[in-house]
Amino acid sequence: KKEELHKPIYVITNDTLVENPIVSSWVNTSLDNIQQEAENQGLPIQPNLLTPEVSQTFWVNLIGRGYPAPNRRFRWCTERMKITPSTEFIKKLSTSGDAKHGSVIILLGTRKAESAARSKRITDYQKKATRELLSPHNDIASALTWAPIAEWTNDDVWTYLVSKTNPWGYNNKDLLNLYASATDDAECPVVIDTSTPSCGSSRFGCWTCTVVAEDKSLNEMINSEKEVYDVKKLIELANFRDNLLAERNLKQNRVQGRNRKGRIQVKRDGTTGVGPYTHQYRQELLARLTDVQDKVGLPLITENEINRIKEIWAEEITDLALLDAGVEI
């Protein structure tokens, strides 16, 4: 009953600010539709697009601080750009001094079928359940998690999406086509039996991601024959990302033997380590990025990020000057 709908539902989505632009556009449209339909139906549903603080964005860390492009051994991006914004949002709702709510339940779309590692993690969480279906959150004491489709297969997801009407009016077949274009299958058919290949295995992430050797979803979009994508723009992004990966460990791009503060760093074996990107390379990266931004006509970096980058550069130059003068920082 309408009078009993007193508990708000917060729909949260993370935008790292370097999302695949096709997916980002779809997400933004969906959130707008959810907001409008919730207002039309008088439902307490509030969509929220979460972004990292300007000081912790991808470009501020990479170009500003000179962090090398992420890899499996130094994956500095996920915590700063995805986990922290969500955690802080939830904490403000449930634990801050002016909290609106004493506790929250976090509804997750995570599923065991996504991977063996994900399956093990979900199973471990289920063993810790303090109430039926609800498990304690790792970091937030006042939060419980619920994964209602944990046992669903990829095929279950797509069968449901194409057979049910979307409650906020968006056509789920558009989502089906989006995933289809990011796989190496010619089609993404509705699954009717176990012999039919699933289209739900492709994953979307940041267009800048260098943790993987190849951005398969972006490349499949480029190679897709669908005319809905501006392939030239996607190629520009793919080339920039590939260059980030190829140039990561080039000696001329990295400070040799000193850390970000200019101090000499020595490994356990007595050799000097490799530090951040040089100022010259970072300046080149910023120039190349803004050039690509102009070419593709998409917002790839904000003015606030550029300003923060320049602030960090100024701070570093001051620190290095003090060190050269023999002053400890």
Side-chain angles (χ1 to χ4, degrees):
K1 297 179 181 179
K2 286 292 178 71
E3 59 270 21
E4 294 178 353
L5 299 178
H6 60 278
K7 293 186 178 180
I9 296 172
Y10 300 90
V11 179
I12 63 175
T13 303
N14 283 101
D15 184 351
T16 61
L17 303 180
V18 283
E19 300 290 333
N20 179 310
I22 307 291
V23 180
S24 183
S25 175
W26 186 91
V27 169
N28 290 334
T29 301
S30 289
L31 292 179
D32 289 343
N33 287 355
I34 291 172
Q35 178 75 60
Q36 187 60 55
E37 197 57 32
E39 292 175 2
N40 292 344
Q41 297 185 34
L43 299 173
I45 297 175
Q46 302 175 28
N48 295 269
L49 189 65
L50 310 181
T51 58
E53 293 183 4
V54 67
S55 191
Q56 295 300 334
T57 67
F58 184 83
W59 299 124
V60 169
N61 280 300
L62 185 110
I63 299 178
R65 297 186 175 93
Y67 285 15
N71 62 14
R72 293 187 183 278
R73 296 181 63 185
F74 188 40
R75 193 170 183 169
W76 50 262
C77 47
T78 306
E79 182 79 26
R80 290 172 170 83
M81 294 157 49
K82 292 189 77 73
I83 297 175
T84 297
S86 295
T87 301
E88 291 303 312
F89 180 87
I90 295 166
K91 282 182 176 179
K92 286 179 181 178
L93 290 178
S94 60
T95 61
S96 63
D98 58 346
K100 298 178 182 178
H101 321 290
S103 60
V104 297
I105 294 175
I106 305 171
L107 185 72
L108 301 172
T110 185
R111 297 176 298 108
K112 292 181 180 179
E114 293 178 61
S115 69
R118 184 60 57 86
S119 178
K120 182 180 183 304
R121 187 161 187 169
I122 294 174
T123 300
D124 290 342
Y125 272 115
Q126 289 174 335
K127 291 177 181 177
K128 298 177 183 177
T130 54
R131 291 164 57 185
E132 185 179 5
L133 303 177
L134 299 177
S135 304
H137 190 277
N138 261 0
D139 304 313
I140 306 174
S142 57
L144 295 169
T145 61
W146 177 34
I149 62 170
E151 307 297 335
W152 284 29
T153 65
N154 296 339
D155 296 346
D156 290 335
V157 172
W158 289 113
T159 300
Y160 179 85
L161 288 176
V162 298
S163 63
K164 301 292 182 180
T165 301
N166 189 310
W168 53 89
Y170 205 91
N171 188 348
N172 285 336
K173 289 184 179 178
D174 291 343
L175 180 65
L176 188 76
N177 290 332
L178 180 62
Y179 270 78
S181 68
T183 66
D184 54 10
D185 295 322
E187 298 181 79
C188 185
V190 175
V191 178
I192 56 174
D193 57 53
T194 56
S195 64
T196 308
S198 171
C199 63
S201 60
S202 70
R203 308 281 297 205
F204 297 107
C206 303
W207 69 266
T208 57
C209 185
T210 51
V211 175
V212 293
E214 177 191 3
D215 187 336
K216 293 182 179 179
S217 62
L218 185 58
N219 287 341
E220 286 299 331
M221 284 182 171
I222 290 172
N223 296 325
S224 171
E225 295 182 357
K226 297 180 183 295
E227 297 181 359
V228 294
Y229 305 128
D230 190 328
V231 173
K232 290 182 179 179
K233 291 183 179 181
L234 297 181
I235 289 174
E236 288 285 349
L237 300 184
N239 287 341
F240 190 96
R241 176 262 175 202
D242 290 345
N243 287 333
L244 271 184
L245 180 60
E247 297 168 357
R248 184 186 191 278
N249 295 320
L250 295 182
K251 188 174 181 179
Q252 65 267 29
N253 294 340
R254 303 282 292 274
V255 175
Q256 301 298 312
R258 287 180 177 267
N259 62 19
R260 284 192 59 246
K261 289 293 185 179
R263 294 192 179 93
I264 296 174
Q265 53 182 22
V266 181
K267 296 181 180 179
R268 291 180 179 178
D269 60 5
T271 61
T272 55
V274 179
Y277 288 140
T278 64
H279 274 283
Q280 180 179 347
Y281 180 61
R282 287 185 249 173
Q283 290 169 345
E284 292 173 4
L285 277 179
L286 182 56
R288 282 156 49 183
L289 176 61
T290 53
D291 181 55
V292 171
Q293 180 171 250
D294 291 339
K295 286 181 180 178
V296 301
L298 296 170
L300 303 181
I301 184 170
T302 66
E303 283 299 319
N304 285 339
E305 288 177 288
I306 293 175
N307 291 336
R308 183 66 188 116
I309 286 169
K310 291 180 178 178
E311 289 174 357
I312 291 171
W313 287 355
E315 293 164 3
E316 286 189 351
I317 290 171
T318 301
D319 288 345
L320 289 172
L322 289 171
L323 282 169
D324 288 341
V327 180
E328 283 296 328
I329 301 173

